[in-house]
């Protein structure tokens, strides 16, 4: 006798394992080469600064910075109250900019302790980006926004001095977070990345930085899958789990077509009848990858030979 409940327990365990793999796959293939780019690990992790680190005391001076969840407690007179870019409750880099008249020192952020990130591949294009927002009150008279510049070394010259998107100038007060993106090609496995404020003024020269990334060229978008077949003839309890890889994350959409059609953002398709299916994944850059001829099968029905149709008590009969 077959224990159907036992079979279902096996199916559920397999499905849970597949679900776990899908949920972990995006972090496994995460591409950000910076440590603590979102500042959630606190100060002096993955970066260093020539500015003076301070805790929120209500006042700041030019050339000081903090790592916190809200700029306002650092300077109760001039800074606005706001949250970080990602969740509204996480950390950000809070900067009271200096008046250095265009001198590229001091830097308020540089990658690692020595300012260089290593292990890069010479000759391929990398993307460096950050999000910035002004944090000073709009009521400050004569205020001017910060102008954030980057000091590089060991990259191809003649290009990459200006962002490919966004502006070197911080957005005006009251604006949303804005993303700034640079592209560069290393000429050495180690590249220096230092950020400094080129604004010559003091009033309003205050800003926050969050969600910094250094990304290599993305892998080509591809898709694979796992499946669980139907457990009984005619049952619609098959499953297909789709795995996207490469491309630009996060993946925007997963699509299933064939014997049934479904779309979602998880890549997990359940309640499927036996049949042939195709799956497609779409990345954040609207690129797609697909795979077809995915077959969910059902078990062969039990049959008996009716030629021996008499069974007496105590007899053995072969089915």
């Amino acid at each position: 006798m077959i224990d159907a409940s036992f079979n279902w327990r096996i199916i559920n365990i397999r499905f849970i394992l597949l679900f776990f793999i899908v949920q972990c796959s995006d972090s496994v293939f995460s591409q950000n080469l910076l440590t603590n780019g979102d500042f959630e690990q606190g100060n002096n992790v993955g970066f260093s600064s020539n500015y003076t680190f301070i805790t929120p005391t209500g006042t700041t001076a030019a050339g000081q910075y903090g790592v916190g969840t809200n700029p306002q407690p650092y300077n109760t007179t001039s800074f606005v109250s706001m949250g970080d870019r990602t969740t509204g409750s996480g950390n950000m880099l809070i900067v009271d900019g200096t008046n250095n008249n265009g001198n590229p020192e001091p830097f308020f952020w540089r990658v690692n302790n020595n300012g260089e990130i290593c292990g890069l591949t010479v000759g391929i294009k990398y993307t460096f980006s950050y999000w910035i927002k002004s944090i000073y009150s709009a009521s400050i008279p004569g205020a001017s926004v910060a102008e954030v510049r980057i000091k590089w070394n060991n990259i191809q010259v003649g290009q990459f001095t200006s962002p490919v998107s966004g502006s070197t100038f911080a957005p005006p007060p009251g604006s949303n977070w804005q993303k700034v993106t640079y592209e560069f090609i290393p000429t050495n496995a180690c590249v220096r990345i230092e950020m400094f404020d080129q604004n010559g003024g003091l009033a309003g020269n205050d800003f926050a930085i969050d969600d910094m990334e250094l990304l290599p060229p993305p892998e080509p978008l591809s898709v694979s899958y796992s499946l669980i077949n139907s457990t009984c003839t005619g049952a619609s309890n098959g499953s297909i789990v789709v795995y996207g890889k490469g491309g630009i994350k996060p993946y925007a959409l997963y699509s299933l077509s064939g014997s049934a059609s479904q779309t979602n953002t998880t890549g997990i398709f359940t309640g499927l009848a036996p049949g042939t299916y195709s799956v497609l994944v779409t990345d954040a850059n609207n690129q797609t990858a697909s795979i077809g001829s995915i077959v969910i099968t059902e078990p062969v029905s039990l049959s008996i030979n009716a030629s021996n149709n008499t069974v007496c008590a105590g007899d053995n009969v072969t089915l």
Side-chain angles (χ1 to χ4, degrees), residues 72-147:
Q72 206 273 335
Y74 287 81
N75 190 319
T76 55
T77 301
S78 301
F79 292 177
V80 298
S81 178
M82 70 178 203
D84 78 326
R85 192 199 74 87
T86 315
T87 65
S89 59
N91 283 338
M92 68 191 93
L93 187 71
I94 300 164
V95 182
D96 190 326
T98 60
N99 179 359
N100 59 4
N101 295 316
N103 188 333
E105 298 291 346
F107 53 85
F108 65 83
W109 179 95
R110 73 176 183 182
V111 63
N112 300 325
N113 290 328
N114 62 356
E116 291 187 341
I117 184 164
C118 295
L120 306 184
T121 301
V122 174
I124 69 171
K125 185 180 292 184
Y126 288 79
T127 301
F128 175 74
S129 65
Y130 61 90
W131 292 79
I132 186 170
K133 186 173 183 179
S134 296
I135 61 174
Y136 67 91
S137 171
S139 63
I140 299 177
S144 59
V145 297
E147 183 182 1

Coordinates of all heavy atoms in Angstrom, one line a residue, residues 72-147:
Q72 N 19.7 65.3 10.6 CA 19.2 66.4 11.4 C 19.9 66.5 12.8 O 20.3 67.5 13.3 CB 17.7 66.4 11.5 CG 17.1 67.8 11.8 CD 17.0 68.1 13.3 OE1 17.0 67.2 14.1 NE2 17.0 69.4 13.7
P73 N 20.0 65.3 13.5 CA 20.6 65.4 14.9 C 22.1 65.8 14.8 O 22.7 66.2 15.9 CB 20.5 63.9 15.4 CG 19.4 63.4 14.6 CD 19.4 64.0 13.3
Y74 N 22.8 65.7 13.7 CA 24.2 66.1 13.6 C 24.3 67.7 13.6 O 25.3 68.2 14.1 CB 24.8 65.6 12.3 CG 25.1 64.1 12.4 CD1 24.1 63.2 12.2 CD2 26.4 63.6 12.7 CE1 24.4 61.8 12.3 CE2 26.7 62.3 12.8 CZ 25.6 61.4 12.6 OH 25.9 60.0 12.7
N75 N 23.3 68.3 13.0 CA 23.3 69.8 12.9 C 21.8 70.2 13.0 O 21.1 70.3 12.0 CB 24.0 70.3 11.7 CG 24.2 71.8 11.7 OD1 23.3 72.6 12.2 ND2 25.3 72.3 11.2
T76 N 21.3 70.5 14.2 CA 19.9 70.8 14.4 C 19.5 72.1 13.8 O 18.3 72.4 13.6 CB 19.6 70.8 15.9 OG1 20.4 71.7 16.6 CG2 19.8 69.4 16.4
T77 N 20.5 73.0 13.5 CA 20.1 74.3 12.9 C 20.0 74.3 11.4 O 19.1 74.9 10.8 CB 21.2 75.3 13.3 OG1 21.3 75.4 14.7 CG2 20.9 76.7 12.7
S78 N 20.9 73.5 10.7 CA 21.0 73.6 9.3 C 20.6 72.4 8.5 O 20.3 72.5 7.3 CB 22.5 74.0 8.9 OG 22.9 75.2 9.5
F79 N 20.7 71.2 9.1 CA 20.4 70.0 8.4 C 18.9 69.6 8.5 O 18.3 69.8 9.5 CB 21.2 68.8 8.9 CG 22.7 69.0 8.6 CD1 23.6 68.0 9.1 CD2 23.2 70.0 7.9 CE1 25.0 68.1 8.8 CE2 24.6 70.2 7.6 CZ 25.5 69.2 8.1
V80 N 18.4 69.0 7.4 CA 17.0 68.6 7.4 C 16.9 67.2 8.0 O 17.9 66.4 8.2 CB 16.5 68.5 6.0 CG1 16.5 69.9 5.3 CG2 17.3 67.5 5.1
S81 N 15.7 66.8 8.4 CA 15.4 65.4 8.9 C 15.0 64.6 7.7 O 14.1 64.9 6.9 CB 14.3 65.5 9.9 OG 14.0 64.2 10.4
M82 N 15.6 63.4 7.5 CA 15.3 62.6 6.4 C 15.9 61.2 6.6 O 16.7 61.0 7.5 CB 15.8 63.1 5.0 CG 17.3 63.1 4.9 SD 17.9 63.7 3.3 CE 19.5 62.9 3.2
G83 N 15.4 60.2 5.8 CA 15.9 58.8 5.9 C 16.9 58.5 4.8 O 17.0 59.3 3.8
D84 N 17.5 57.3 4.9 CA 18.4 56.9 3.8 C 17.6 56.5 2.6 O 16.4 56.5 2.6 CB 19.3 55.7 4.3 CG 18.6 54.4 4.3 OD1 17.3 54.4 4.6 OD2 19.2 53.4 4.1
R85 N 18.4 56.3 1.5 CA 17.7 56.0 0.2 C 17.0 54.7 0.1 O 15.9 54.6 -0.5 CB 18.7 56.1 -0.9 CG 18.1 56.2 -2.3 CD 19.0 55.8 -3.4 NE 19.3 54.4 -3.5 CZ 18.5 53.5 -4.1 NH1 17.5 53.9 -4.8 NH2 18.8 52.2 -4.1
T86 N 17.6 53.7 0.8 CA 17.1 52.3 0.5 C 15.8 52.0 1.3 O 14.8 51.6 0.7 CB 18.2 51.3 0.9 OG1 19.4 51.7 0.4 CG2 17.8 49.9 0.4
T87 N 15.8 52.1 2.6 CA 14.7 51.8 3.4 C 14.1 52.9 4.2 O 13.0 52.8 4.7 CB 15.1 50.7 4.5 OG1 16.1 51.3 5.4 CG2 15.8 49.5 3.8
G88 N 14.8 54.1 4.2 CA 14.3 55.2 5.0 C 14.7 55.1 6.5 O 14.5 56.0 7.3
S89 N 15.3 54.0 6.9 CA 15.7 53.8 8.3 C 17.2 53.3 8.4 O 17.6 53.1 9.6 CB 14.8 52.8 9.0 OG 14.8 51.5 8.4
G90 N 17.9 53.1 7.3 CA 19.3 52.7 7.4 C 20.3 53.8 7.4 O 19.9 55.0 7.5
N91 N 21.5 53.4 7.4 CA 22.6 54.4 7.4 C 22.9 55.1 6.1 O 22.6 54.6 5.0 CB 23.9 53.7 7.9 CG 23.9 53.4 9.4 OD1 23.2 54.0 10.2 ND2 24.8 52.4 9.8
M92 N 23.5 56.2 6.2 CA 24.0 57.0 5.1 C 25.3 57.7 5.5 O 25.5 57.8 6.7 CB 23.0 58.0 4.6 CG 22.7 59.1 5.5 SD 21.3 60.1 5.1 CE 20.0 59.3 6.0
L93 N 26.1 58.2 4.5 CA 27.2 59.0 4.8 C 26.8 60.5 4.9 O 26.3 61.0 3.9 CB 28.3 58.8 3.8 CG 29.7 59.5 4.1 CD1 30.4 58.8 5.2 CD2 30.5 59.5 2.8
I94 N 27.0 61.1 6.0 CA 26.5 62.5 6.2 C 27.7 63.4 6.2 O 28.7 63.3 7.0 CB 25.8 62.6 7.5 CG1 24.5 61.7 7.5 CG2 25.4 64.1 7.8 CD1 23.9 61.4 8.9
V95 N 27.8 64.4 5.3 CA 29.0 65.2 5.0 C 28.7 66.7 5.2 O 27.8 67.2 4.5 CB 29.6 64.9 3.6 CG1 30.9 65.7 3.4 CG2 29.8 63.4 3.4
D96 N 29.5 67.4 6.0 CA 29.6 68.8 6.0 C 30.8 69.2 5.2 O 32.0 69.1 5.6 CB 29.7 69.3 7.5 CG 29.6 70.8 7.6 OD1 30.0 71.6 6.6 OD2 29.0 71.3 8.6
G97 N 30.5 69.7 3.9 CA 31.6 69.9 3.0 C 32.6 71.0 3.3 O 32.2 71.9 4.1
T98 N 33.8 70.9 2.7 CA 34.8 71.9 3.0 C 34.8 73.0 1.9 O 34.3 72.8 0.8 CB 36.2 71.3 3.1 OG1 36.4 70.6 1.8 CG2 36.3 70.3 4.2
N99 N 35.5 74.1 2.2 CA 35.7 75.2 1.2 C 37.2 75.0 0.8 O 38.1 75.6 1.4 CB 35.5 76.5 1.9 CG 35.7 77.7 1.0 OD1 36.1 77.5 -0.2 ND2 35.6 78.9 1.4
N100 N 37.4 74.3 -0.3 CA 38.8 74.0 -0.7 C 39.2 74.6 -2.0 O 40.2 74.4 -2.5 CB 39.1 72.5 -0.7 CG 38.1 71.8 -1.7 OD1 37.3 72.4 -2.4 ND2 38.2 70.5 -1.8
N101 N 38.2 75.5 -2.6 CA 38.5 76.2 -3.8 C 39.1 75.3 -4.9 O 40.0 75.7 -5.6 CB 39.5 77.4 -3.5 CG 38.9 78.4 -2.5 OD1 37.8 78.8 -2.7 ND2 39.7 78.8 -1.5
G102 N 38.5 74.2 -5.1 CA 38.9 73.4 -6.2 C 40.0 72.4 -5.9 O 40.4 71.6 -6.8
N103 N 40.7 72.5 -4.8 CA 41.7 71.6 -4.5 C 41.2 70.2 -4.2 O 40.2 70.0 -3.4 CB 42.5 72.1 -3.2 CG 43.7 71.3 -2.9 OD1 43.8 70.1 -3.3 ND2 44.6 71.9 -2.2
P104 N 41.7 69.1 -4.8 CA 41.1 67.8 -4.7 C 41.4 67.2 -3.3 O 41.1 66.0 -3.2 CB 41.8 67.0 -5.8 CG 43.1 67.7 -6.0 CD 42.8 69.1 -5.8
E105 N 41.9 67.9 -2.4 CA 42.1 67.3 -1.0 C 41.4 68.3 -0.1 O 41.3 69.5 -0.3 CB 43.5 67.2 -0.7 CG 44.3 66.3 -1.5 CD 43.9 64.8 -1.3 OE1 43.3 64.5 -0.3 OE2 44.3 64.0 -2.2
P106 N 40.8 67.8 1.0 CA 40.8 66.4 1.5 C 39.7 65.7 0.8 O 38.7 66.2 0.3 CB 40.6 66.6 3.0 CG 39.8 67.8 3.1 CD 40.2 68.7 2.0
F107 N 39.8 64.4 0.8 CA 38.7 63.5 0.3 C 37.8 63.2 1.5 O 38.2 63.0 2.6 CB 39.3 62.2 -0.3 CG 40.2 61.5 0.5 CD1 39.7 60.5 1.5 CD2 41.6 61.6 0.4 CE1 40.6 59.8 2.3 CE2 42.4 60.9 1.2 CZ 42.0 60.0 2.1
F108 N 36.5 63.1 1.2 CA 35.5 62.7 2.2 C 35.3 61.2 2.2 O 34.8 60.7 3.1 CB 34.2 63.5 2.1 CG 33.4 63.3 0.8 CD1 32.6 62.2 0.7 CD2 33.5 64.1 -0.2 CE1 31.8 61.9 -0.4 CE2 32.8 63.9 -1.4 CZ 31.9 62.8 -1.5
W109 N 35.6 60.6 1.1 CA 35.4 59.1 1.0 C 36.5 58.6 0.0 O 36.8 59.2 -1.1 CB 34.1 58.7 0.4 CG 33.8 57.2 0.3 CD1 33.2 56.4 1.2 CD2 34.1 56.4 -0.8 NE1 33.2 55.1 0.7 CE2 33.7 55.1 -0.5 CE3 34.7 56.6 -2.1 CZ2 33.9 54.0 -1.4 CZ3 34.9 55.6 -3.0 CH2 34.5 54.3 -2.6
R110 N 37.1 57.5 0.4 CA 38.0 56.8 -0.6 C 37.8 55.3 -0.3 O 37.6 54.9 0.8 CB 39.4 57.2 -0.5 CG 40.2 56.7 0.7 CD 41.6 57.1 0.6 NE 42.4 56.6 1.8 CZ 43.7 56.8 1.9 NH1 44.4 57.6 1.1 NH2 44.3 56.3 3.0
V111 N 37.9 54.5 -1.3 CA 37.7 53.1 -1.2 C 38.8 52.4 -0.4 O 40.0 52.7 -0.6 CB 37.5 52.4 -2.6 CG1 38.8 52.5 -3.4 CG2 37.1 50.9 -2.4
N112 N 38.5 51.6 0.6 CA 39.5 50.9 1.4 C 40.4 51.9 2.2 O 40.2 53.1 2.1 CB 40.3 49.9 0.6 CG 39.4 48.9 0.0 OD1 38.4 48.5 0.5 ND2 39.7 48.4 -1.3
N113 N 41.4 51.4 2.9 CA 42.2 52.3 3.7 C 43.2 53.0 2.8 O 43.7 54.1 3.1 CB 42.9 51.5 4.8 CG 42.0 51.0 5.8 OD1 41.0 51.7 6.1 ND2 42.2 49.9 6.4
N114 N 43.7 52.4 1.7 CA 44.7 53.0 0.9 C 44.1 53.7 -0.4 O 44.9 54.2 -1.2 CB 45.7 51.9 0.4 CG 45.1 50.8 -0.4 OD1 43.9 50.8 -0.6 ND2 45.9 49.9 -0.9
G115 N 42.8 53.7 -0.5 CA 42.2 54.4 -1.6 C 42.1 53.6 -2.9 O 41.6 54.1 -3.9
E116 N 42.6 52.3 -2.9 CA 42.5 51.5 -4.1 C 41.7 50.3 -3.9 O 41.7 49.7 -2.8 CB 44.0 51.2 -4.5 CG 44.8 52.3 -5.0 CD 46.1 51.9 -5.6 OE1 46.6 50.7 -5.3 OE2 46.8 52.6 -6.3
I117 N 41.1 49.9 -5.0 CA 40.4 48.6 -5.0 C 41.2 47.7 -6.1 O 41.5 48.2 -7.2 CB 38.9 48.7 -5.3 CG1 38.3 47.3 -5.3 CG2 38.7 49.4 -6.7 CD1 36.8 47.4 -5.2
C118 N 41.5 46.5 -5.7 CA 42.3 45.6 -6.6 C 41.5 44.4 -7.0 O 40.4 44.2 -6.7 CB 43.6 45.2 -5.8 SG 44.7 46.6 -5.4
G119 N 42.2 43.6 -7.9 CA 41.5 42.5 -8.4 C 40.7 42.8 -9.7 O 39.9 41.9 -10.1
L120 N 40.9 44.0 -10.2 CA 40.1 44.3 -11.4 C 40.8 43.8 -12.7 O 42.0 43.5 -12.7 CB 40.0 45.9 -11.5 CG 39.4 46.6 -10.3 CD1 39.2 48.1 -10.6 CD2 38.1 46.0 -9.9
T121 N 40.0 43.6 -13.7 CA 40.5 43.1 -15.0 C 40.8 44.3 -15.9 O 40.0 45.1 -16.2 CB 39.5 42.2 -15.7 OG1 39.2 41.1 -14.8 CG2 40.0 41.6 -17.0
V122 N 42.1 44.3 -16.4 CA 42.5 45.4 -17.3 C 41.8 45.3 -18.6 O 41.6 44.2 -19.2 CB 44.0 45.3 -17.5 CG1 44.5 46.3 -18.5 CG2 44.8 45.5 -16.2
G123 N 41.3 46.5 -19.1 CA 40.8 46.5 -20.4 C 39.3 46.4 -20.5 O 38.7 46.5 -21.6
I124 N 38.6 46.0 -19.4 CA 37.1 45.9 -19.5 C 36.5 47.1 -18.7 O 37.1 47.7 -17.9 CB 36.6 44.6 -19.0 CG1 36.8 44.5 -17.5 CG2 37.3 43.4 -19.7 CD1 36.1 43.3 -16.9
K125 N 35.3 47.4 -19.1 CA 34.6 48.6 -18.6 C 33.9 48.3 -17.3 O 33.1 47.4 -17.2 CB 33.7 49.2 -19.6 CG 33.0 50.5 -19.1 CD 32.1 51.1 -20.2 CE 32.8 51.5 -21.5 NZ 31.9 52.1 -22.5
Y126 N 34.2 49.1 -16.2 CA 33.5 49.0 -14.9 C 32.6 50.2 -14.8 O 32.8 51.2 -15.4 CB 34.5 48.9 -13.8 CG 35.2 47.6 -13.7 CD1 36.3 47.4 -14.5 CD2 34.9 46.7 -12.8 CE1 37.0 46.2 -14.5 CE2 35.5 45.5 -12.7 CZ 36.6 45.2 -13.5 OH 37.3 44.0 -13.4
T127 N 31.6 50.0 -13.9 CA 30.6 51.1 -13.6 C 30.7 51.4 -12.1 O 30.6 50.5 -11.2 CB 29.2 50.7 -13.9 OG1 29.1 50.4 -15.3 CG2 28.2 51.8 -13.6
F128 N 30.9 52.7 -11.8 CA 31.0 53.2 -10.4 C 29.8 54.2 -10.2 O 29.6 55.1 -11.0 CB 32.3 53.9 -10.1 CG 32.3 54.5 -8.7 CD1 32.5 53.8 -7.6 CD2 32.2 55.9 -8.6 CE1 32.5 54.4 -6.3 CE2 32.3 56.5 -7.3 CZ 32.4 55.7 -6.2
S129 N 29.0 54.0 -9.2 CA 27.8 54.8 -9.0 C 27.6 55.1 -7.5 O 28.0 54.3 -6.6 CB 26.6 54.2 -9.6 OG 26.2 53.0 -9.0
Y130 N 26.9 56.2 -7.2 CA 26.4 56.5 -5.9 C 25.2 57.3 -6.0 O 24.8 57.9 -7.0 CB 27.5 57.3 -5.1 CG 27.9 58.6 -5.8 CD1 27.3 59.8 -5.5 CD2 28.9 58.7 -6.7 CE1 27.6 61.0 -6.1 CE2 29.3 59.8 -7.3 CZ 28.6 61.0 -7.0 OH 29.0 62.2 -7.6
W131 N 24.5 57.4 -4.9 CA 23.3 58.3 -4.7 C 23.6 59.4 -3.8 O 24.3 59.3 -2.8 CB 22.1 57.5 -4.2 CG 21.6 56.4 -5.1 CD1 22.1 55.2 -5.3 CD2 20.4 56.5 -6.0 NE1 21.4 54.5 -6.3 CE2 20.4 55.3 -6.7 CE3 19.5 57.5 -6.2 CZ2 19.3 55.0 -7.6 CZ3 18.5 57.2 -7.1 CH2 18.4 56.0 -7.8
I132 N 23.1 60.6 -4.2 CA 23.5 61.8 -3.4 C 22.2 62.7 -3.2 O 21.3 62.7 -4.0 CB 24.5 62.7 -4.1 CG1 25.0 63.9 -3.3 CG2 24.1 63.1 -5.5 CD1 26.2 64.6 -3.8
K133 N 22.2 63.4 -2.0 CA 21.1 64.2 -1.7 C 21.6 65.4 -0.8 O 22.4 65.2 0.1 CB 19.9 63.5 -1.0 CG 18.7 64.3 -0.8 CD 17.6 63.4 -0.2 CE 16.3 64.2 0.0 NZ 15.2 63.4 0.5
S134 N 21.1 66.6 -1.1 CA 21.5 67.7 -0.3 C 20.7 67.6 1.1 O 19.6 67.2 1.1 CB 21.1 69.1 -0.9 OG 21.8 69.3 -2.1
I135 N 21.4 68.0 2.1 CA 20.8 67.8 3.5 C 20.6 69.1 4.2 O 20.1 69.1 5.3 CB 21.7 66.9 4.3 CG1 23.1 67.4 4.5 CG2 21.7 65.5 3.7 CD1 23.9 66.6 5.5
Y136 N 21.0 70.3 3.6 CA 20.9 71.5 4.3 C 19.5 72.1 4.1 O 18.8 71.8 3.1 CB 22.0 72.5 3.9 CG 21.9 73.0 2.5 CD1 21.2 74.1 2.1 CD2 22.5 72.3 1.4 CE1 21.1 74.6 0.8 CE2 22.4 72.7 0.1 CZ 21.7 73.9 -0.2 OH 21.7 74.3 -1.5
S137 N 19.1 73.0 5.0 CA 17.8 73.6 4.9 C 17.7 74.6 3.7 O 18.7 75.3 3.5 CB 17.5 74.3 6.2 OG 16.3 75.1 6.0
A138 N 16.6 74.6 3.0 CA 16.5 75.5 1.8 C 16.4 77.0 2.3 O 16.5 77.9 1.4 CB 15.2 75.1 1.1
S139 N 16.2 77.2 3.6 CA 16.1 78.6 4.0 C 17.4 79.3 4.2 O 17.5 80.5 4.6 CB 15.3 78.6 5.4 OG 16.1 77.9 6.4
I140 N 18.6 78.6 4.0 CA 19.9 79.2 4.2 C 20.1 80.2 3.1 O 20.1 79.8 1.9 CB 21.0 78.1 4.2 CG1 20.8 77.1 5.4 CG2 22.4 78.8 4.3 CD1 21.8 76.0 5.4
P141 N 20.4 81.5 3.4 CA 20.6 82.5 2.3 C 21.9 82.3 1.6 O 22.9 82.0 2.3 CB 20.5 83.8 3.1 CG 20.9 83.5 4.5 CD 20.4 82.1 4.7
G142 N 21.9 82.5 0.3 CA 23.1 82.4 -0.4 C 23.8 81.1 -0.5 O 25.0 81.0 -0.8
A143 N 23.0 80.0 -0.2 CA 23.6 78.7 -0.2 C 23.9 78.2 -1.6 O 23.2 78.5 -2.6 CB 22.7 77.7 0.5
S144 N 24.9 77.3 -1.8 CA 25.3 76.7 -3.0 C 25.5 75.2 -2.8 O 26.0 74.9 -1.7 CB 26.5 77.4 -3.7 OG 27.6 77.3 -2.8
V145 N 25.1 74.4 -3.8 CA 25.2 73.0 -3.5 C 26.7 72.5 -3.7 O 27.5 73.2 -4.3 CB 24.3 72.2 -4.5 CG1 22.9 72.6 -4.3 CG2 24.7 72.5 -6.0
A146 N 26.9 71.3 -3.1 CA 28.3 70.7 -3.3 C 28.5 70.3 -4.7 O 27.6 70.0 -5.4 CB 28.3 69.5 -2.3
E147 N 29.8 70.3 -5.1 CA 30.2 69.7 -6.4 C 31.2 68.5 -6.1 O 32.3 68.8 -5.7 CB 30.9 70.7 -7.3 CG 31.2 70.2 -8.6 CD 31.9 71.2 -9.5 OE1 32.2 72.3 -9.1 OE2 32.3 70.8 -10.7

